[in-house]
Amino acid sequence: MTEDDLVRILDGNNFVLSDRSGDIEADTVCGFFEFDTRYLSEWLLTINGEQLNALAIDEPHYFRMRFFLVPGSPTHYVDAKVSVIRERCIAGAGFEERLTVLNHAGKAVDFTVRLAVDSDFAPVYAIIAEPIERPGRVYRRVEEQRLRLGYHREKFRRETTIATSEPARIDEHGLTYEVRIGPHGRWSTLLQVDGLVLRPDGEEARAHLRPRRTRSAEQLQHDLDRWMAKAPSLTCGWDTMERTYRRSLVDLAGLRFSPLALPDEAMPAAGLPWAATITGRDSILCSLQSLPVAPELAVATLRLLGINQGAVLDDFRDEEPGKIVRQFRYGELAAFEERPESPYYGNADATPLYVILLDEYERWTGDAALVRELEEQARAALTWIDEYGDIMGDGYLWYQSRNERSGLVNQCWKDSWDAISYRDGRLPGLPRATCELQGYAYDAKVRGARLARAFWNDPDYADRLEREAANLKDRFNRDFWIDDGEYFALAVEPDGRRVDALSSNIGHLLWSGIVEESRADSVAAHLLGPGLFSGWGVRTLAKGEGRYNPLGYHVGAVWPFDNSLIAWGLRRYGYVREAGAIAEGIIGAAHYFDGRLPEAFAGYDRDLTRYPVRFPTANSPHAVATGTAFLLLRVLLGLEPYGDELVVSPALPARFGRIELLDIPGRWGRRDAIGNARHPLAR
């Protein structure tokens, strides 16, 4: 089953993933998921023993979907005597589904409507990685007009309840309706499915665990309407930009997630289907990208990650004082410490990115109170860079997991096992210092100095951070530069050897500001050169490198979020034409994905395939892909806070025509930005 075969409804970390007929078939990745657990692994509808096929699907909103179905194979569609409307919506502690059977015959007809139901209560990791032996017990109970499925392992208890509004014959494996429908009549039932987290005594832990998960469909609709009305409005001469912007706003609304520690605030979950949870890097970057449209997301992100900031040394979780969490999971494997995500701290980038977001949020909103509120957390993050991130004691930011059994080998954003390599494909040893980490550390120190001087009343600390940043920049431009090729190494090894693969990471260096002006021309040329630029976007690894694969997750695929940061960096150094080319390529690709940019797509040359090829296992919607459109608009319109004002300096490729982004929120209140593609772009 491919990504194109799957449909979904969602609200934060509560989602239903099914095939295009609405079925959840056993032994697939489909299911009803919440809190990192699959509460339904089978939800299969038949009419008189026949499965149904979709005539059409209507997806009016991220939390609601309608399926128009007929039984049998496609050859039976003509003159079908019966059809089914399946209406599904996130509601309560799960979802509700209304089944309507329509009899198109001119006489009364008897139908057997069967819904086969099961749950394996599998943790998400067991679905996406490999099956795992689990010692818990699955049980099934038939109650009055209700089927209850459960899983019990010591203190870990989860239950799924299925209730029906119409009488049914219920057994341990599903519900059966024997109905007679009059000529041209209809029959309908409403099913409510709830996923429950139970305390050891069997009582539901609803009050503690479900601060937002009891919203009705009407409340979800009202919330979406308010969200869309509050967002800046966009008009553009290129309708693909408008469609992508609107789709991104709706998807971001669906990805909003209220963590248990902050039930009244929302931050972005990383993405569907396999990252619908708290993350450090993705939540930070999405909040950063989304400042022009929803700056409030950064508040919950910064507060929640501050609450979970590392406090002790814990090898199993790769936790260290001051370190920002990588991921938090609620499932069975984390609960019994069979996986370290409760939470897991195995990333070296989220900690400096935390400081970067805090500073950029204040620049955009003027919210000095939050900067003062999170002073301790920001200082701890800056201290972590030097005390724990500098493993080799040489002033660089390194990573190496202390959890040799289940920790991540690569702890940068390219965290696949083979993502960091030499040009010939060899893998470097550990620890590793990737180039973009040094850029993040540099930027965090520069921004931390501003915060210390302007808000924490500590000019001495600010001076020290600025000296450290300047020294890091000097050494970095010496130690990471590859003269033969004129680009920055992907990483260095402890002995100083440069890991010489050409990668998209060099674009993040422009965003951070660590690149010396004299070397920026070469970096920009590589980013838009034939090795890295596919025509749609910048590849993660250049064509011709030893491990290059256009279908490789971090070794050749194109990631929209990666490109948005690269475009921002190019714009920072004055390369407006190059930044515009990346924006045009990425938004052009969005056209082929109906305006929903996926996590990644294949790195084939545009001239070869003529359209962007979907990456087979990409998350979609994905938070940082969703945020890409917002950051690209910021780049195209040249939006930058300056004191209490918003500076607008448009530089648009001709394809965009005219862009109007109205009611942009920030410390200035609300402002409009308008740009016209009137002149050829030049640096």
Side-chain angles (χ1 to χ4, degrees):
M1 186 175 292
T2 68
E3 172 69 24
D4 289 333
D5 298 321
L6 303 178
V7 294
R8 67 214 65 196
I9 57 172
L10 72 146
D11 182 28
N13 72 340
N14 177 355
F15 65 97
V16 183
L17 189 68
S18 72
D19 66 21
R20 297 186 65 80
S21 67
D23 282 335
I24 297 169
E25 295 202 46
D27 301 319
T28 68
V29 298
C30 295
F32 158 44
F33 297 84
E34 189 171 23
F35 287 113
D36 303 307
T37 297
R38 179 160 65 181
Y39 280 89
L40 280 180
S41 55
E42 185 176 32
W43 185 253
L44 187 63
L45 179 64
T46 57
I47 302 291
N48 295 338
E50 285 189 287
Q51 284 189 242
L52 300 148
N53 284 280
L55 291 174
I57 300 173
D58 177 33
E59 185 182 1
H61 301 300
Y62 62 84
F63 53 86
R64 188 192 301 273
M65 183 168 285
R66 287 191 291 264
F67 307 86
F68 301 91
L69 312 168
V70 293
S73 64
T75 57
H76 297 171
Y77 288 2
V78 178
D79 295 328
K81 302 302 182 186
V82 61
S83 63
V84 176
I85 301 174
R86 199 172 193 174
E87 301 173 271
R88 180 177 295 162
C89 182
I90 296 292
F95 70 96
E96 63 182 26
E97 182 161 313
R98 179 172 293 280
L99 301 178
T100 302
V101 182
L102 297 96
N103 176 20
H104 303 303
K107 61 179 181 180
V109 179
D110 294 325
F111 296 99
T112 299
V113 181
R114 172 70 177 175
L115 193 61
V117 180
D118 200 5
S119 178
D120 56 6
F121 293 94
V124 166
Y125 182 82
I127 299 167
I128 61 177
E130 57 188 26
I132 296 171
E133 286 284 335
R134 298 159 57 223
R137 175 179 63 88
V138 174
Y139 57 88
R140 302 172 175 85
R141 289 204 302 267
V142 177
E143 301 173 354
E144 184 175 355
Q145 295 303 103
R146 185 188 303 268
L147 175 61
R148 186 180 298 272
L149 309 175
Y151 181 80
H152 188 189
R153 177 183 174 187
E154 299 178 22
K155 294 182 179 180
F156 185 89
R157 296 190 64 175
R158 301 289 186 266
E159 280 192 349
T160 306
T161 62
I162 303 100
T164 173
S165 65
E166 295 297 312
R169 186 173 70 250
I170 303 177
D171 58 64
E172 291 185 348
H173 299 283
L175 301 86
T176 303
Y177 304 89
E178 301 289 353
V179 299
R180 168 163 287 202
I181 305 177
H184 302 291
R186 65 175 60 190
W187 169 90
S188 181
T189 187
L190 181 65
L191 295 142
Q192 176 67 46
V193 180
D194 288 328
L196 309 178
V197 177
L198 302 185
R199 298 197 299 259
D201 61 5
E203 291 296 316
E204 186 189 356
R206 179 181 297 272
H208 176 58
L209 289 175
R210 299 191 184 281
R212 289 179 75 236
R213 290 295 167 255
T214 56
R215 295 191 295 176
S216 66
E218 291 73 21
Q219 288 171 319
L220 287 168
Q221 181 65 61
H222 178 66
D223 177 71
L224 177 60
D225 291 343
R226 288 178 55 206
W227 168 266
M228 297 300 288
K230 185 179 177 183
S233 62
L234 174 74
T235 57
C236 180
W238 188 10
D239 60 356
T240 296
M241 181 73 253
E242 285 189 13
R243 186 166 64 253
T244 302
Y245 176 74
R246 180 172 178 82
R247 185 64 182 261
S248 298
L249 281 176
V250 172
D251 283 344
L252 184 57
L255 287 169
R256 288 173 301 161
F257 169 74
S258 288
L260 300 180
L262 297 170
D264 297 322
E265 299 182 34
M267 62 186 288
L272 258 64
W274 312 126
T277 189
I278 296 170
T279 62
R281 175 193 309 121
D282 288 343
S283 296
I284 288 172
L285 289 175
C286 181
S287 298
L288 188 69
Q289 293 169 314
S290 303
L291 286 173
V293 299
E296 69 275 10
L297 293 178
V299 178
T301 297
L302 289 163
R303 282 181 173 149
L304 188 281
L305 296 178
I307 290 169
N308 287 290
Q309 189 172 32
V312 299
L313 289 172
D314 184 332
D315 290 353
F316 178 64
R317 294 181 176 84
D318 276 328
E319 180 180 0
E320 293 156 343
K323 198 173 187 181
I324 296 298
V325 67
R326 176 186 184 272
Q327 189 177 80
F328 196 110
R329 293 282 188 182
Y330 296 98
E332 177 184 1
L333 300 182
F336 288 94
E337 296 193 348
E338 292 162 352
R339 295 285 306 169
E341 292 94 356
S342 57
Y344 181 55
Y345 293 82
N347 61 178
D349 52 358
T351 306
L353 288 172
Y354 181 87
V355 180
I356 292 168
L357 175 60
L358 180 62
D359 176 71
E360 190 67 13
Y361 168 76
E362 191 285 326
R363 290 182 67 239
W364 195 270
T365 65
D367 186 356
L370 188 70
V371 173
R372 294 187 178 99
E373 174 189 330
L374 297 177
E375 176 183 352
E376 181 180 347
Q377 291 87 340
R379 284 178 179 266
L382 289 162
T383 299
W384 175 87
I385 294 172
D386 296 328
E387 290 195 3
Y388 297 97
D390 184 8
I391 295 174
M392 300 304 299
D394 59 1
Y396 288 132
L397 180 51
W398 301 78
Y399 63 78
Q400 180 175 12
S401 177
R402 299 196 310 278
N403 178 347
E404 297 181 358
R405 181 170 65 89
S406 53
L408 283 173
V409 173
N410 281 318
Q411 300 196 353
C412 51
W413 86 258
K414 294 177 180 176
D415 54 11
S416 300
W417 67 273
D418 61 346
I420 309 302
S421 67
Y422 283 89
R423 295 202 69 176
D424 60 11
R426 289 177 296 121
L427 299 180
L430 292 166
R432 296 170 183 169
T434 57
C435 65
E436 84 287 353
L437 290 179
Q438 316 318 313
Y440 300 163
Y442 167 80
D443 198 17
K445 287 176 182 288
V446 171
R447 291 172 180 268
R450 187 186 85 89
L451 299 179
R453 184 170 286 115
F455 303 102
W456 302 338
N457 194 30
D458 195 342
D460 291 342
Y461 185 44
D463 290 345
R464 193 190 94 196
L465 288 172
E466 287 173 339
R467 288 194 302 271
E468 291 171 354
N471 181 261
L472 174 58
K473 183 174 184 175
D474 288 344
R475 289 184 296 106
F476 173 82
N477 279 271
R478 178 194 69 213
D479 296 344
F480 278 74
W481 185 250
I482 296 174
D483 289 320
D484 180 16
E486 295 191 328
Y487 62 93
F488 288 99
L490 174 55
V492 296
E493 293 210 57
D495 62 4
R497 281 181 296 169
R498 299 175 180 90
V499 181
D500 59 353
L502 177 60
S503 72
S504 67
N505 301 49
I506 62 175
H508 291 227
L509 300 175
L510 295 176
W511 170 51
S512 72
I514 200 172
V515 177
E516 289 180 354
E517 286 283 347
S518 62
R519 289 175 171 165
D521 278 351
S522 294
V523 173
H526 277 297
L527 289 167
L528 274 295
L532 282 173
F533 193 63
S534 73
W536 299 111
V538 178
R539 302 178 177 98
T540 43
L541 187 66
K543 189 169 60 173
E545 302 299 299
R547 288 188 177 270
Y548 170 73
N549 178 351
L551 291 173
Y553 201 47
H554 293 123
V555 292
V558 174
W559 287 59
F561 104 87
D562 188 23
N563 278 261
S564 72
L565 293 179
I566 292 169
W568 200 8
L570 287 164
R571 180 71 196 245
R572 174 174 184 161
Y573 277 76
Y575 298 97
V576 293
R577 180 174 55 82
E578 291 82 354
I582 289 175
E584 185 173 354
I586 292 295
I587 298 303
H591 169 76
Y592 295 89
F593 301 114
D594 297 322
R596 173 182 278 169
L597 284 165
E599 177 183 28
F601 54 88
Y604 295 114
D605 282 329
R606 185 170 184 163
D607 292 341
L608 176 65
T609 62
R610 305 295 180 183
Y611 62 90
V613 176
R614 185 182 293 275
F615 194 81
T617 59
N619 285 291
S620 181
H622 186 248
V624 292
T626 296
T628 293
F630 312 137
L631 183 51
L632 289 179
L633 282 170
R634 178 175 179 177
V635 170
L636 292 168
L637 291 169
L639 305 180
E640 284 300 322
Y642 188 80
D644 288 332
E645 297 300 324
L646 177 64
V647 174
V648 181
S649 179
L652 279 60
R655 187 70 182 85
F656 289 89
R658 178 182 173 90
I659 293 179
E660 296 183 4
L661 189 63
L662 308 181
D663 289 330
I664 303 166
R667 63 195 304 157
W668 43 83
R670 292 271 177 169
R671 293 288 185 273
D672 300 339
I674 300 173
N676 292 286
R678 291 179 176 172
H679 306 289
L681 295 179
R683 189 182 176 192

